[in-house]
Amino acid sequence: EPYMMKGAYDQKKIRPLLYFNGSDLKKEKKRKWKDGKHYVSWIKSHGKGRIFYVSPSHNKESYMDARLLQFYLDGLQYTLGDLDCDDSPKL
């Protein structure tokens, strides 16, 4: 269940982490995807802080996967400043 945010990526000031090809979705054929990508996770610096956006799953089984839990932990550590990484915009 992806969240579709109109124009959310037009400014291209994010560092994508996860995406899917939105043009492959049957219900989304009418939507005009600029590059075919819908970003479900990204990071960016904002002022003196950091933002971690993620929306890959609503299904309880996903939270039993150690890889997804590590992904969330890494994202939280990034926002707290405990994990250094390149968050420069890249689109």
Side-chain angles (χ1 to χ4, degrees):
E1 177 187 342
Y3 293 105
M4 306 300 185
M5 294 175 279
K6 186 176 181 180
Y9 312 112
D10 289 349
Q11 294 182 10
K12 299 183 179 180
K13 294 183 180 179
I14 63 171
R15 178 72 168 208
L17 301 175
L18 297 173
Y19 71 89
F20 67 88
N21 188 342
S23 58
D24 288 343
L25 298 175
K26 291 179 184 178
K27 291 183 178 182
E28 294 299 319
K29 291 289 184 185
K30 294 177 187 175
R31 185 180 294 267
K32 293 180 182 178
W33 296 87
K34 290 184 180 180
D35 60 1
K37 296 177 182 173
H38 176 75
Y39 301 98
V40 294
S41 186
W42 48 265
I43 57 175
K44 71 179 272 184
S45 62
H46 184 72
K48 293 182 180 181
R50 296 172 167 191
I51 299 169
F52 169 59
Y53 173 81
V54 63
S55 67
S57 181
H58 294 289
N59 141 356
K60 68 181 181 179
E61 290 80 15
S62 296
Y63 298 98
M64 295 178 186
D65 186 319
R67 296 170 298 174
L68 183 60
L69 295 176
Q70 185 64 56
F71 184 76
Y72 277 104
L73 180 60
D74 291 345
L76 292 171
Q77 286 182 303
Y78 163 77
T79 62
L80 293 170
D82 293 340
L83 179 67
D84 288 325
C85 64
D86 183 4
D87 58 6
S88 60
K90 185 177 180 181
L91 278 181

